[in-house]
Amino acid sequence: MESEAKQIFDDYIRERGLKGTAQRDLILSAFLSTEDHLTAEDIHRLVNDSVSHNDFSSDKKHGVGFATVYRTMKLITDSGLAREVIFGDGVSRFEHKYGHPHHHHLICNGCGEITEFSSQKMNEVEKHILKKYSFKAESHHFKIFGLCKNCEESRNQEKQKKSKKNKKMYQEDK
Amino acid sequence: MESEAKQIFDDYIRERGLKGTAQRDLILSAFLSTEDHLTAEDIHRLVNDSVSHNDFSSDKKHGVGFATVYRTMKLITDSGLAREVIFGDGVSRFEHKYGHPHHHHLICNGCGEITEFSSQKMNEVEKHILKKYSFKAESHHFKIFGLCKNCEESRNQEKQKKSKKNKKMYQEDK
DNA sequence: ATCGAAATTGATACTCATTCTCAATTGAGA
DNA sequence: TCTCAATTGAGAATGAGTATCAATTTCGAT
């Protein structure tokens, strides 16, 4: 649960002689509040929106800064609660690691939806590859980009409408 | 072969009403000259080094600019000769696509060595996943980060040497 | 071979995510 | 409470990649 995660972070902070702060609490809570794959900007927004809604802090002059979000997400990642994922669009995202066994991702190029999957068979194939190349894995990630069911269907409908405008078309390798 | 690739690029250029230029030739040649996974900076260096060695162009005032490298690599990618690969270190790399069937990567965190692999079994597992989620793949990429055999061995040796230097140690009461 | 419209180029300014710097503030152990 | 190291926010800095633009080059039409 969320409180377990907070305990883990708290332990991590104390073990290192670091300090607990209101900002770190806010950022961790924001991160834990959803299962989404959040960017630093997402977290920054979540945190500052929630702060402005809390009137107990009406004397607060500043929101939480971007630098603090980045710094804290690094701590949360190092504590083992988060994993950084890179989908190649130039922005890092953070996903839950605690209580979330390793998985891979389907990323929809249409709507951006992210679906997680895992496969025992794939793990076995990977193990075989690693042995073959005498490679010691530290992390691994299979990403499949494409179209989710919904986006594929709506794209087909668009195609029918625009079917006269077929200009550019080259084949993918297969 | 290299000439076939150049023909493909030439065709691509002409089909689009674009122009052939010395810079584009240089950049394509640099890209084709190696099987490495090159960054834009790598290509920029390769191109400008080779130019300075060619005395036929001693009246040339400028080398090929970074912008031209980026622009041309985009063309080469669009022509189907290159594929952009993102290893998550903040820099894009380009690898051969023409004549190189799809594959995945082992990336050594120690020396940076990149090993390519492919697996029919993995393709089958992927096909199964795609069906399960009704997902239409457009691209996919399995990356495994870790240590190659050499780096793993030298890391173990280092560990043995430094095994006495364990100073900092906080109690782990759990 | 020349002409000229259109494409291309290099330099440079810019964007954008992320990191760094630093003075001011804050947390927590003594 | 005191003290001092850790933390903070603001803004500067970084670094990869893109956009802008005047000058240059290409290439098909003449």
Side-chain angles (χ1 to χ4, degrees):
Chain A
M1 252 221 65
E2 196 170 309
S3 60
E4 292 172 32
K6 290 193 173 178
Q7 188 60 51
I8 288 171
F9 186 64
D10 221 51
D11 291 348
Y12 178 83
I13 290 293
R14 277 163 212 268
E15 276 170 18
R16 313 229 145 191
L18 306 180
K19 291 175 178 172
T21 68
Q23 290 93 330
R24 285 175 180 172
D25 288 348
L26 285 166
I27 291 166
L28 179 57
S29 293
F31 170 66
L32 295 174
S33 73
T34 164
E35 292 284 317
D36 290 350
H37 294 72
L38 300 173
T39 65
E41 196 188 346
D42 292 334
I43 294 164
H44 182 259
R45 188 173 355 89
L46 277 173
V47 164
N48 287 302
D49 283 1
S50 80
V51 163
S52 68
H53 292 159
N54 288 337
D55 45 5
F56 76 83
S57 59
S58 56
D59 59 341
K60 207 157 182 21
K61 294 185 199 69
H62 317 290
V64 175
F66 266 105
T68 301
V69 172
Y70 280 108
R71 287 184 287 226
T72 303
M73 287 315 298
K74 185 160 179 17
L75 287 177
I76 293 174
T77 301
D78 291 345
S79 78
L81 294 178
R83 183 189 287 115
E84 194 177 353
V85 255
I86 294 173
F87 290 135
D89 61 349
V91 206
S92 280
R93 277 159 231 273
F94 296 93
E95 66 175 15
H96 289 209
K97 187 171 178 184
Y98 176 66
H100 290 62
H102 193 279
H103 54 262
H104 302 289
H105 294 98
L106 303 169
I107 303 110
C108 179
N109 286 331
C111 62
E113 188 191 55
I114 293 162
T115 306
E116 303 182 346
F117 71 91
S118 63
S119 156
Q120 187 49 44
K121 269 191 187 168
M122 193 162 279
N123 294 345
E124 284 161 20
V125 175
E126 186 188 351
K127 208 171 289 179
H128 188 258
I129 301 276
L130 293 174
K131 194 167 186 179
K132 177 174 173 186
Y133 291 95
S134 302
F135 195 86
K136 188 183 181 198
E138 294 178 340
S139 68
H140 58 169
H141 198 172
F142 198 166
K143 302 189 195 80
I144 306 179
F145 296 86
L147 293 177
C148 70
K149 198 180 179 185
N150 285 341
C151 288
E152 165 70 358
E153 282 167 1
S154 47
R155 185 152 303 189
N156 281 342
Q157 289 172 1
E158 267 190 41
K159 251 188 202 164
Q160 291 183 322
K161 289 182 194 164
K162 293 188 183 175
S163 61
K164 36 201 117 158
K165 268 193 167 179
N166 286 356
K167 288 171 44 177
K168 177 170 157 185
M169 187 154 294
Y170 33 89
Q171 73 243 43
E172 264 288 313
D173 63 37
K174 165 132 190 217
Chain B
M1 250 223 69
E2 193 169 312
S3 60
E4 293 173 31
K6 289 193 174 179
Q7 190 59 52
I8 288 171
F9 186 65
D10 222 51
D11 291 348
Y12 177 83
I13 290 292
R14 278 163 211 271
E15 274 170 19
R16 315 228 142 192
L18 306 179
K19 291 173 178 172
T21 68
Q23 289 92 331
R24 286 174 179 173
D25 289 348
L26 286 166
I27 290 165
L28 179 57
S29 293
F31 170 66
L32 294 174
S33 73
T34 164
E35 292 284 318
D36 289 350
H37 294 72
L38 301 173
T39 65
E41 195 187 346
D42 292 334
I43 294 164
H44 182 259
R45 188 171 356 88
L46 277 174
V47 164
N48 287 303
D49 284 1
S50 80
V51 163
S52 68
H53 293 159
N54 288 337
D55 46 4
F56 77 85
S57 59
S58 56
D59 59 341
K60 206 157 182 25
K61 292 183 201 72
H62 315 291
V64 175
F66 267 104
T68 301
V69 172
Y70 281 109
R71 287 183 289 228
T72 303
M73 287 315 298
K74 185 162 180 17
L75 287 177
I76 293 174
T77 300
D78 291 346
S79 79
L81 293 178
R83 183 190 286 115
E84 194 178 352
V85 253
I86 294 173
F87 290 135
D89 61 350
V91 206
S92 280
R93 277 158 230 274
F94 297 93
E95 66 174 14
H96 290 210
K97 187 172 177 183
Y98 175 67
H100 289 63
H102 193 278
H103 54 263
H104 302 288
H105 293 97
L106 302 170
I107 304 111
C108 178
N109 287 330
C111 62
E113 187 191 55
I114 293 162
T115 306
E116 303 181 346
F117 71 91
S118 62
S119 156
Q120 187 50 44
K121 270 193 187 167
M122 193 163 281
N123 295 344
E124 284 161 21
V125 174
E126 186 188 353
K127 209 172 288 178
H128 188 258
I129 302 277
L130 293 174
K131 195 168 187 180
K132 177 174 173 186
Y133 290 95
S134 300
F135 195 87
K136 188 180 182 203
E138 295 178 341
S139 68
H140 58 171
H141 198 171
F142 198 166
K143 303 188 195 82
I144 305 179
F145 297 86
L147 294 176
C148 69
K149 197 179 178 183
N150 285 343
C151 288
E152 165 70 358
E153 283 167 0
S154 46
R155 184 152 306 188
N156 281 341
Q157 289 172 0
E158 265 190 41
K159 253 187 201 161
Q160 292 183 321
K161 287 182 194 165
K162 290 189 184 174
S163 62
K164 42 199 112 162
K165 266 194 168 179
N166 290 351
K167 281 175 48 177
K168 189 165 154 187
M169 187 157 290
Y170 306 96
Q171 78 243 27
E172 175 126 357
D173 41 16
K174 168 135 192 205

